[in-house]
């Protein structure tokens, strides 16, 4: 089976497991795990922030990042396809008392005009106030879309002018960095809080790091404990994250090339199924035409390729560390024949 359902499927390889086995550890609730502390410092420095907090999941890092910035009873503006609003089980509303108001986009691409037209500031007792704008880079359900730096900067200056904070969901920020060459710190400077995932394309088994100011991270550390996320000898997991940062960032370019090769192979059979220009990173959204996504997922599985349905007529393929370039080309040809 060539499994392209997600880049979370990767399993740690031999060298990563050795790094985990050799990690120095301590009790992280006492802030005494040296490997966790090293990972938190490293990601914070990479993104140009003061401090970091290692979290078990990207969802928890987003939950804490938004919590730091959004007053209870205020609203967060985000894309209608944002992970925080579609895939986090309404945690921000049910646990932290914030509502989301969403905007439409093309493939998840940020348009600062759309966002700033929706800001609700000084609306007193009449309308819910906006406290936070949340953005995703790259955009998952949009299809691995990279946010243009100019749009992010424009949003930053308009939010600054209105006193609105920005949370960046950087689950795949490393893919954006590798695709564009924009420095991590440049992206990091554009948001008050950033979540950064180690278990997607970077291939660690578990973990995301939230970065912000030292004061914010001290508060988030308490809230993480409140949510049941105060862990102990987590250094074994942090070691996998450090290994991933050392060895798996630049190779994301291979995943991007494999995604493009997959899309080209699909297009050889069915040119209308995917636009090459839409393949920006490691995610390919394929239009299933007259077939339903469920039919294509089932047909592909029978032929040895696992994909996920992301719409009634859309399936998603995600390339990653555990599939080869040739696997991806072969998978593209198989999907092409299933479609046609
Ligand atoms: C995967 C993902 C997350 C976090 O997911 P977890 O499964 O909670 O680690 C957050 N945002 C985006 C855009 C993602 O793709």
């Amino acid at each position: 089976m060539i499994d392209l359902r997600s880049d979370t499927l990767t399993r740690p390889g031999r060298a990563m497991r050795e790094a985990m086995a050799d990690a120095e550890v301590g009790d992280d609730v006492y802030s005494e795990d040296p490997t966790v502390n090293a990972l938190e410092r490293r990601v914070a420095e990479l993104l140009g922030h003061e401090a970091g907090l290692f979290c078990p999941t990207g969802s928890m890092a987003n939950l804490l990042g938004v919590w730091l910035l959004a007053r209870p009873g205020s609203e967060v503006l985000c894309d209608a396809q944002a992970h925080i609003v579609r895939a986090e089980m309404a945690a921000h509303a049910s646990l932290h008392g914030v509502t989301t108001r969403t905007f439409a986009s093309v493939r998840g691409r940020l348009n600062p005009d759309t966002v700033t037209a929706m800001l609700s500031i000084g609306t007193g007792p009449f309308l819910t106030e906006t406290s936070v704008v949340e953005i995703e880079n790259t955009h998952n359900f949009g299809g691995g879309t990279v946010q243009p730096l100019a749009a992010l900067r424009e949003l930053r200056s308009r939010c600054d002018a209105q006193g609105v904070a920005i949370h960046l969901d950087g689950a795949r920020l490393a893919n954006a960095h590798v695709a564009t060459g924009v420095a991590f710190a440049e992206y990091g400077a554009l948001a008050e809080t950033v979540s950064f995932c180690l278990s997607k394309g970077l291939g660690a088994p578990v973990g995301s790091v939230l970065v912000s100011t030292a004061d914010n991270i001290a508060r988030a550390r308490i809230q993480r404990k409140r949510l049941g996320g105060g862990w102990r000898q987590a250094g074994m997991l942090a070691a996998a994250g450090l290994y991933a940062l050392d060895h798996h960032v630049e190779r994301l370019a291979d995943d991007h090339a494999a995604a493009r090769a997959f899309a080209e192979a699909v297009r050889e059979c069915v040119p209308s199924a995917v636009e090459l220009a839409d393949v920006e990173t490691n995610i390919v959204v394929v239009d299933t035409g007259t077939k339903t996504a469920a039919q294509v997922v089932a047909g592909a599985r029978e032929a040895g390729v696992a994909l996920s349905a992301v719409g009634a007529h859309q399936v998603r393929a995600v390339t990653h560390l555990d599939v080869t370039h040739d696997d991806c080309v072969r998978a593209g040809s198989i999907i092409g024949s299933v479609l046609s």
Side-chain angles (χ1 to χ4, degrees), residues 6-8 56-62 81-84 87-88 134 136-141 169-172 195 197 199-200 206-208 283 316:
S6 175
D7 47 6
T8 55
T57 63
S59 295
M60 191 188 279
N62 282 338
Q81 300 297 330
H83 193 278
I84 64 159
E88 297 181 6
E134 191 269 357
E136 212 172 286
N137 194 17
T138 65
H139 201 288
N140 178 355
F141 298 124
D169 178 346
R172 293 189 183 78
S195 65
C197 186
S199 67
K200 292 275 164 71
V206 160
S208 281
I283 300 178
R316 186 188 76 165

Side-chain angles (χ1 to χ4, degrees), residues 51-122:
L53 183 68
F54 188 36
C55 296
T57 63
S59 295
M60 191 188 279
N62 282 338
L63 184 61
L64 293 172
V66 170
W67 173 80
L68 283 169
L69 306 175
R71 300 177 300 281
S74 69
E75 71 179 10
V76 178
L77 300 184
C78 67
D79 190 286
Q81 300 297 330
H83 193 278
I84 64 159
V85 77
R86 288 210 64 202
E88 297 181 6
M89 310 300 139
H92 302 262
S94 59
L95 301 174
H96 288 159
V98 295
T99 60
T100 42
R101 194 151 54 96
T102 61
F103 46 85
S105 68
V106 178
R107 301 188 57 251
R109 181 104 58 215
L110 169 68
N111 178 343
D113 292 337
T114 307
V115 183
T116 55
M118 288 175 70
L119 290 176
S120 174
I121 307 296

Side-chain angles (χ1 to χ4, degrees), residues 12-340:
R14 173 63 43 205
M16 181 181 277
R17 287 173 193 244
E18 278 167 13
M20 294 169 75
D22 292 345
E24 261 190 76
V25 296
D27 191 327
D28 182 54
V29 172
Y30 292 79
S31 293
E32 285 175 6
D33 188 303
T35 312
V36 171
N37 293 342
L39 176 69
E40 290 176 343
R41 253 193 326 272
R42 173 134 176 218
V43 176
E45 268 167 31
L46 192 66
L47 291 165
H49 281 250
E50 282 175 6
L53 183 68
F54 188 36
C55 296
T57 63
S59 295
M60 191 188 279
N62 282 338
L63 184 61
L64 293 172
V66 170
W67 173 80
L68 283 169
L69 306 175
R71 300 177 300 281
S74 69
E75 71 179 10
V76 178
L77 300 184
C78 67
D79 190 286
Q81 300 297 330
H83 193 278
I84 64 159
V85 77
R86 288 210 64 202
E88 297 181 6
M89 310 300 139
H92 302 262
S94 59
L95 301 174
H96 288 159
V98 295
T99 60
T100 42
R101 194 151 54 96
T102 61
F103 46 85
S105 68
V106 178
R107 301 188 57 251
R109 181 104 58 215
L110 169 68
N111 178 343
D113 292 337
T114 307
V115 183
T116 55
M118 288 175 70
L119 290 176
S120 174
I121 307 296
T123 44
F126 304 107
L127 297 170
T128 310
E129 294 253 352
T130 307
S131 52
V132 179
V133 172
E134 191 269 357
I135 46 183
E136 212 172 286
N137 194 17
T138 65
H139 201 288
N140 178 355
F141 298 124
T145 308
V146 178
Q147 307 298 358
L149 191 58
L152 293 169
R153 286 187 173 143
E154 184 60 30
L155 181 71
R156 172 80 271 176
S157 75
R158 293 187 196 178
C159 283
D160 279 348
Q162 301 280 354
V164 171
I166 296 177
H167 173 72
L168 169 60
D169 178 346
R172 293 189 183 78
L173 195 63
N175 295 84
H177 160 73
V178 167
T180 60
V182 173
F184 281 114
E186 189 134 22
Y187 286 130
L190 297 168
E192 275 83 1
T193 53
V194 184
S195 65
F196 181 85
C197 186
L198 299 156
S199 67
K200 292 275 164 71
L202 295 182
V206 160
S208 281
V209 179
L210 174 71
V211 302
S212 189
T213 62
D215 284 350
N216 277 345
I217 292 301
R219 287 174 57 215
R221 194 175 292 281
I222 294 166
Q223 185 68 0
R224 183 187 64 172
K225 181 79 156 50
R226 198 170 278 133
L227 294 169
W231 46 9
R232 304 296 180 175
Q233 287 74 30
M236 298 179 81
L237 299 169
L242 287 165
Y243 182 92
L245 289 170
D246 285 336
H247 299 281
H248 292 167
V249 175
E250 297 311 320
R251 65 150 305 283
L252 290 172
D254 301 342
D255 294 347
H256 300 170
R260 179 159 284 267
F262 168 88
E264 281 167 355
V266 172
R267 282 175 60 85
E268 273 185 30
C269 297
V270 186
S272 60
V274 55
E275 288 292 332
L276 276 187
D278 292 346
V279 183
E280 298 181 50
T281 53
N282 69 326
I283 300 178
V284 184
V285 175
V286 177
D287 188 325
T288 59
T290 54
K291 297 202 160 114
T292 66
Q295 284 171 326
V296 172
V297 167
R301 187 165 267 278
E302 234 163 78
V305 179
L307 302 172
S308 43
V310 288
H313 294 273
Q314 286 180 319
V315 294
R316 186 188 76 165
V318 187
T319 59
H320 54 78
L321 192 55
D322 286 2
V323 289
T324 66
H325 192 91
D326 289 349
D327 284 342
C328 294
V329 174
R330 191 143 22 90
S333 303
I334 291 169
I335 300 310
S337 54
V338 170
L339 289 174
S340 60

